[in-house]
Amino acid sequence: MNNVPTRYLGELAVSAQGLGCMGMSHGYGATDDAQSIATLRHALDLGVTFLDTADFYGAGHNEELIGRAVAGRRDEVVLATKFGFANRLGEPTRVRGDAAYVRQACEASLRRLGVDHIDLYYQHRVDPQVPIEETVGAMAELVREEGPSPRAVRGRGADHPAGARGASDRRAAERVVAVDPRPGGGDRPGLP
């Protein structure tokens, strides 16, 4: 049963209705893994193919949960995840966007999700201490590499198109498929 229309983010086909998964392990009180997995699988059954998470949600637990839910159904889902918060729950907020952290966060997300690629990789928050060209360049490098890596990247902030154009390999950087045009990169005080 698939009644959900398809939209395109660049060349990436996604369901028009996506499922933000943060609340399944972060932010809204008690959670139930079995119910969350059932919800995720039911959404896939209905034709919702676009799942959005972040490495920060539930200190990585959200990605693990999604990985369990989509096991055996990887070809049915478009996985989006985010990086940028280097702290864990309960610690002071630390944002990182340096090239080494981009790679480290991607590899950890791949492990937690149990997949060989990430379809859409977002920068959750911009690191004001790191030039955007470094962050976007590191994301573009992951796209260029063979083996496990994201197939598409996304940046946040009005200055990201310039950062993408300034990255070392323009063809890979042009694979940035979406930019949040809101001033300040769309940061929403108090919200992840």
Side-chain angles (χ1 to χ4, degrees), residues 23-41:
M24 294 180 179
S25 58
H26 178 89
Y28 299 112
T31 60
D32 181 328
D33 284 1
Q35 183 64 44
S36 295
I37 289 171
T39 300
L40 288 159
R41 290 179 178 161

Side-chain angles (χ1 to χ4, degrees), residues 134-149:
E134 179 178 340
T135 304
V136 173
M139 295 167 80
E141 181 66 29
L142 291 169
V143 172
R144 283 193 300 270
E145 291 178 358
E146 295 293 325
S149 66

Side-chain angles (χ1 to χ4, degrees), residues 95-115:
V95 176
R96 281 185 66 186
D98 58 278
Y101 184 73
V102 171
R103 174 173 300 283
Q104 174 189 344
C106 179
E107 291 170 356
S109 289
L110 288 166
R111 249 187 337 273
R112 284 188 296 268
L113 288 162
V115 298

